[in-house]
Amino acid sequence: MRINVAEDYGAFLRSKTTPGVEYDGDYAIFPEWSHADHVTAAAVTAHAPHLHEYQRFCTTFAVARKAAALFLECCLGKTSIALAWAPHVRCSGAAIVCAPLAALHEFENERAKFFPDAPLRFVESADLDAWLADPS
């Protein structure tokens, strides 16, 4: 998508916070994210029908970008969103989700309840380099 940022200050500000934007004179060229065009809310719903509408939006948003940071308040389903996101992006290996230790039990509970077949492995920070070398 090509937008004249000299005429649209809001677009100019968005261009400064969007990864992958290139510039050509007064135009910002936003990435198309074409690698995730096949991902729709319907596909996310089929995989995770328990998600609320805003959770499906967040999951689809994250899948379309392959990686994302979602800053949601407590009890809004960040764990379910992460577990719904992972299978869509791990086509070439494992997906990593960073979470505080206090959330470990929540990941196991959500996985057992909604994603019983999903593999889940907890990796401590001291073991992260080894896991990144071989995430199997």
Side-chain angles (χ1 to χ4, degrees):
M1 175 175 18
R2 187 178 169 96
I3 297 176
N4 187 331
V5 292
E7 295 176 2
D8 184 348
Y9 187 68
F12 169 74
L13 293 177
R14 284 191 306 279
S15 76
K16 293 300 184 183
T17 60
T18 304
V21 172
E22 295 178 5
Y23 297 92
D24 180 17
D26 288 343
Y27 291 88
I29 304 165
F30 287 81
E32 295 296 328
W33 309 110
S34 60
H35 61 272
D37 287 344
H38 67 283
V39 176
T40 64
V44 171
T45 301
H47 173 70
H50 69 282
L51 295 179
H52 296 287
E53 184 177 346
Y54 70 90
Q55 292 170 322
R56 281 192 302 275
F57 173 83
C58 290
T59 303
T60 305
F61 174 88
V63 170
R65 284 146 185 84
K66 286 197 174 185
L70 300 174
F71 299 95
L72 301 172
E73 293 289 331
C74 293
C75 302
L76 289 180
K78 293 179 291 294
T79 303
S80 279
I81 292 168
L83 289 169
W85 162 83
H88 291 283
V89 296
R90 54 178 296 232
C91 57
S92 62
I96 188 167
V97 175
C98 299
L101 288 174
L104 290 180
H105 73 281
E106 197 60 39
F107 268 89
E108 182 55 40
N109 292 343
E110 291 280 321
R111 187 200 59 79
K113 185 174 181 180
F114 298 114
F115 305 96
D117 298 330
L120 183 63
R121 180 173 161 204
F122 300 115
V123 179
E124 294 186 19
S125 57
D127 302 326
L128 187 58
D129 288 334
W131 181 85
L132 289 170
D134 181 23
S136 58

